[in-house]
Amino acid sequence: MALPKRIIKETERLMADPAPGISATPHDDNLRYFDVIIAGPNQSPFEGGVFKLELFLPEDYPMAPPKVRFMTKIYHPNIDKLGRICLDILKDKWSPALQIRTVLLSVQALLSSPNPDDPLANDVAQHWKENENAAIQTAQEWTRKYATA
Amino acid sequence: MGNTATKDKAEHVDGGALLPNGIYTGPQDYDFRIVQRLILQRKLAPFYKGLEECADSEDAQEELKEKLLRAAATSPSLLSSASAPGKRPLSASAVPSSSSSQPHSTHNYSESERERELRRLYHGAIECPICFLYYPRNINRTRCCDKPMCTECFVQLKRLESAPTESPACPYCVEPHFGVIYSCTPHPTDLHPLTGQTQHAGGTSMSVSSSSNSMERAPDQSPSSPSSRRRSTSHKSPDVVAADDLRPDWNRRILAAAQRQPGSRRASTSSSVSGATFALGRRLAAGRSSGSNSRRSNSSAAAADYNGYLAAVRNMGTDLEELMMMEAMRQSLQDEQDRINRESAAATAAAAAASSAQQVANTTASPSTSSAGAASSSTTVSSDRQLSSSASTANSSTAQGVAVMLGDDEYDQDSLISDDEDSDEDTPAQLQNRAIRYRNIAGSRSGQMPVDLSPKHRVEETANPTEAL
């Protein structure tokens, strides 16, 4: 089946004008499947880390949200062991006016501001709420351990 | 008016088609007849061909020329004049930018003329932010934030399965009650008799009242020039086409979702319920205005509305009393109808002894105080008892009852068509007032009121166990 024009154009624009700290490259054999790299934002526990993600555009994209998952292990209250992300725009708050670029910018922003009140990884969120400093320290350790290229 | 002319003209409006171009390939669940009617009424932009590049660039000029002209040559559905020698140059009415000096002329447009028209139509083309294709500047605008959206993308937007009680939100500004407005470019040909004819032709095949609406509306719409930029428009405005309008059964989905997860959405706010209530009034009005749609579709839409309303009320988990009251009202109304039905049947018993109750009701309804609609509703009820497992069938009887209840007391198929603006204004409060008015009627029958209102009993309750004739 032919790739929708929107996906082609979005990919072209993404390549021509990438968002800072973010890269997304489609697979040659599946142009709906992207390898994504997000740099850990400055002044976050993930600073200095390089996080790999996968992004897949389902058949009904852009009417349905892309599927995004962390491949790199990360200690974050809104990202679980399997790399799944708790982010409203990836679920019920998705809008077809959003794009790959805006989704990845939102994921990047989530790294800067973890939200333990809406957790996906309960133990991490608990840790974050009870002792934020210690949790941040763990996140930094994990970043060094798993997310350094 | 000739059939062929009607058919040809009905295929485009303002230089665009009535059928989508296939950008979205998945299964489509919108009602394409409604969409076509809205396009013919110029309430929704036609399905313009989307260009990959901006029409002002050289490449796009070429693309436009090749694509559109080739398509026009092979299929009459894009620009009909190309492949129809001897027929009228339909693009005169179809393309708004066409010259008005000779709209009636019967000569064929030359290649260059058509090209020029298309170029003018697509001049300064804008990109639809959803599909990234370029369209004429006059495509739909969102009612809330005045952003462009092509019709092909618009028809994709609907309620989320995960949140069926919430009206679709604007994809750009997240404002609820998403809807768009179409203003075809102001141009003399808009007021051309041919155009009116086109609308009428389309209208009669779809709906009697809507065609007259569209004739009245066309002059109103054209003065809204693109220069005077529109601010946000209320979702109640008659110019707004809501995403919900394209799926008359959206409320059935609410019901389905409610039954799937009973009680789990108790926390939902009252706003969603009042929204559903309001929508009930609106949908009933819409059902009225689309008069010549068959009675069946009217009633099933209304049934779904009622169900949506009930589901919303149930979801809220608050007003069980009101729900019971409504049910009692419905039953008493139905009893009343049955009584009238029996009377009218008895009056003509000799003539119609063997015929079905419905026929009886229809032939003798005029002198009786009750309407044909009411009579047929009660016959549905009796037959529904056998079909109580099929929710949709059983509910159609409910709908008739409710429609009668919500509408005017003297309510028949004709008034259905004529007073369409009336219940558009129905607010939840008004509905409630009406409900209260009927409480007294209901009171005398309260012995029959159902006690258990859980969803699985719904169907049996709505199929009122009235005695057949």
Side-chain angles (χ1 to χ4, degrees):
Chain A
M1 199 208 74
L3 205 61
K5 287 289 172 296
R6 155 145 179 176
I7 295 181
I8 294 168
K9 286 193 177 187
E10 231 188 294
T11 307
E12 280 170 6
R13 292 174 196 183
L14 211 54
M15 307 297 250
D17 180 23
I22 295 172
S23 88
T25 321
H27 278 206
D28 287 339
D29 55 348
N30 184 355
L31 296 171
R32 288 176 176 270
Y33 189 90
F34 292 73
D35 288 324
V36 176
I37 293 172
I38 296 182
N42 292 341
Q43 273 120 41
S44 80
F46 313 101
E47 185 173 357
V50 174
F51 296 88
K52 284 188 190 151
L53 299 89
E54 60 177 6
L55 182 148
F56 179 71
L57 304 175
E59 188 66 34
D60 40 358
Y61 179 83
M63 292 303 151
K67 299 186 189 311
V68 191
R69 192 171 75 92
F70 271 83
M71 308 295 281
T72 306
K73 235 166 119 72
I74 183 169
Y75 196 76
H76 190 291
N78 310 108
I79 301 164
D80 75 0
K81 263 186 271 189
L82 299 172
R84 294 177 302 190
I85 306 164
C86 179
L87 188 60
D88 56 359
I89 61 158
L90 291 177
K91 296 178 183 114
D92 56 325
K93 292 289 184 284
W94 169 252
S95 150
L98 295 169
Q99 303 178 20
I100 299 172
R101 173 196 302 273
T102 42
V103 162
L104 294 180
L105 283 169
S106 299
V107 172
Q108 195 183 37
L110 189 67
L111 294 186
S112 290
S113 48
N115 178 12
D117 293 325
D118 184 20
L120 193 59
N122 278 316
D123 47 337
V124 180
Q126 196 66 23
H127 194 193
W128 221 276
K129 278 197 205 166
E130 282 168 2
N131 189 343
E132 188 171 344
N133 285 338
I136 287 174
Q137 213 171 349
T138 309
Q140 285 167 337
E141 277 165 27
W142 281 40
T143 303
R144 268 197 302 279
K145 209 160 151 190
Y146 304 109
T148 317
Chain B
M1 100 188 49
N3 236 351
T4 49
T6 307
K7 199 178 161 209
D8 279 349
K9 260 178 246 144
E11 282 173 5
H12 357 68
V13 173
D14 297 345
L18 291 182
L19 293 172
N21 297 295
I23 297 175
Y24 297 98
T25 51
Q28 303 294 312
D29 62 353
Y30 62 90
D31 187 326
F32 74 96
R33 286 166 306 176
I34 291 176
V35 170
Q36 292 195 342
R37 196 176 67 221
L38 290 168
I39 292 174
L40 288 168
Q41 290 174 357
R42 308 217 166 164
K43 294 185 79 178
L44 201 56
F47 291 103
Y48 285 114
K49 185 87 191 157
L51 302 181
E52 284 178 36
E53 307 208 33
C54 181
D56 289 338
S57 76
E58 290 242 325
D59 284 356
Q61 292 284 5
E62 278 306 301
E63 185 195 338
L64 176 65
K65 200 168 117 187
E66 273 178 35
K67 253 196 185 168
L68 295 182
L69 293 181
R70 196 175 50 222
T74 51
S75 108
S77 71
L78 199 63
L79 278 180
S80 56
S81 60
S83 67
K87 284 189 188 169
R88 276 183 177 174
L90 298 164
S91 53
S93 64
V95 180
S97 53
S98 67
S99 153
S100 62
S101 58
Q102 33 177 247
H104 270 304
S105 72
T106 47
H107 77 85
N108 274 309
Y109 276 68
S110 71
E111 287 281 304
S112 63
E113 267 175 302
R114 281 206 314 271
E115 211 182 299
R116 210 166 51 230
E117 270 178 12
L118 287 170
R119 201 166 288 167
R120 214 177 311 163
L121 182 61
Y122 279 83
H123 177 72
I126 50 174
E127 189 185 48
C128 170
I130 309 286
C131 63
F132 287 24
L133 297 174
Y134 288 91
Y135 293 94
R137 274 172 307 165
N138 62 320
I139 56 170
N140 310 304
R141 295 265 167 180
T142 56
R143 68 156 188 93
C144 40
C145 53
D146 198 28
K147 292 236 169 60
M149 183 180 294
C150 75
T151 299
E152 202 141 354
C153 289
F154 175 66
V155 300
Q156 302 298 317
L157 294 169
K158 56 185 173 194
R159 289 171 183 249
L160 294 173
E161 273 173 33
S162 58
T165 54
E166 287 166 31
S167 64
C170 171
Y172 306 126
C173 70
V174 205
E175 172 99 0
H177 301 292
F178 177 56
V180 295
I181 299 176
Y182 172 58
S183 313
C184 46
T185 5
H187 192 274
T189 50
D190 283 348
L191 303 173
H192 190 268
L194 261 184
T195 313
Q197 213 178 21
T198 303
Q199 287 173 354
H200 192 75
T204 43
S205 65
M206 305 277 180
S207 140
V208 173
S209 65
S210 59
S211 71
S212 60
N213 276 350
S214 70
M215 304 256 285
E216 286 158 17
R217 229 163 237 145
D220 289 343
Q221 272 182 353
S222 16
S224 57
S225 68
S227 58
S228 62
R229 278 182 65 82
R230 192 186 57 238
R231 299 269 165 203
S232 165
T233 309
S234 162
H235 68 274
K236 296 177 197 170
S237 162
D239 293 335
V240 171
V241 176
D244 274 341
D245 292 347
L246 312 183
R247 291 173 182 77
D249 63 335
W250 60 266
N251 22 40
R252 209 171 303 157
R253 298 172 205 195
I254 293 184
L255 181 69
Q259 284 179 338
R260 237 179 284 128
Q261 34 176 306
S264 69
R265 289 188 61 85
R266 295 246 154 140
S268 71
T269 58
S270 60
S271 72
S272 68
V273 171
S274 66
T277 317
F278 174 76
L280 170 64
R282 270 190 86 202
R283 285 301 316 162
L284 284 172
R288 292 175 179 201
S289 64
S290 60
S292 75
N293 282 351
S294 71
R295 184 180 301 175
R296 172 180 296 266
S297 76
N298 262 344
S299 65
S300 69
D305 277 315
Y306 182 53
N307 282 327
Y309 174 69
L310 288 184
V313 170
R314 204 161 37 232
N315 281 340
M316 215 171 55
T318 53
D319 216 340
L320 187 65
E321 193 185 29
E322 187 187 327
L323 187 65
M324 291 167 79
M325 188 189 69
M326 286 192 64
E327 177 63 20
M329 280 156 38
R330 193 194 57 71
Q331 284 195 354
S332 84
L333 281 163
Q334 239 164 25
D335 288 351
E336 177 70 3
Q337 285 154 20
D338 289 340
R339 191 184 58 76
I340 291 162
N341 201 22
R342 268 195 297 276
E343 280 173 10
S344 62
T348 54
S355 66
S356 79
Q358 173 144 19
Q359 283 168 322
V360 172
N362 283 340
T363 50
T364 63
S366 40
S368 101
T369 54
S370 160
S371 68
S376 68
S377 135
S378 54
T379 56
T380 328
V381 171
S382 45
S383 59
D384 279 341
R385 290 169 67 200
Q386 289 117 25
L387 299 169
S388 59
S389 64
S390 154
S392 59
T393 320
N395 286 334
S396 69
S397 67
T398 316
Q400 286 285 7
V402 170
V404 170
M405 176 183 80
L406 293 174
D408 298 278
D409 296 343
E410 260 124 61
Y411 171 95
D412 59 26
Q413 290 300 320
D414 288 332
S415 73
L416 257 186
I417 296 163
S418 56
D419 65 345
D420 57 343
E421 294 305 314
D422 185 13
S423 77
D424 212 1
E425 301 304 314
D426 271 355
T427 61
Q430 277 175 308
L431 288 175
Q432 175 126 11
N433 281 343
R434 289 213 179 109
I436 287 164
R437 243 196 303 148
Y438 281 99
R439 179 175 258 161
N440 296 331
I441 307 171
S444 61
R445 316 245 174 194
S446 57
Q448 297 176 12
M449 278 208 301
V451 177
D452 185 353
L453 290 166
S454 66
K456 64 179 173 182
H457 293 300
R458 226 29 273 147
V459 169
E460 286 166 29
E461 286 158 19
T462 52
N464 189 23
T466 336
E467 287 308 313
L469 292 166

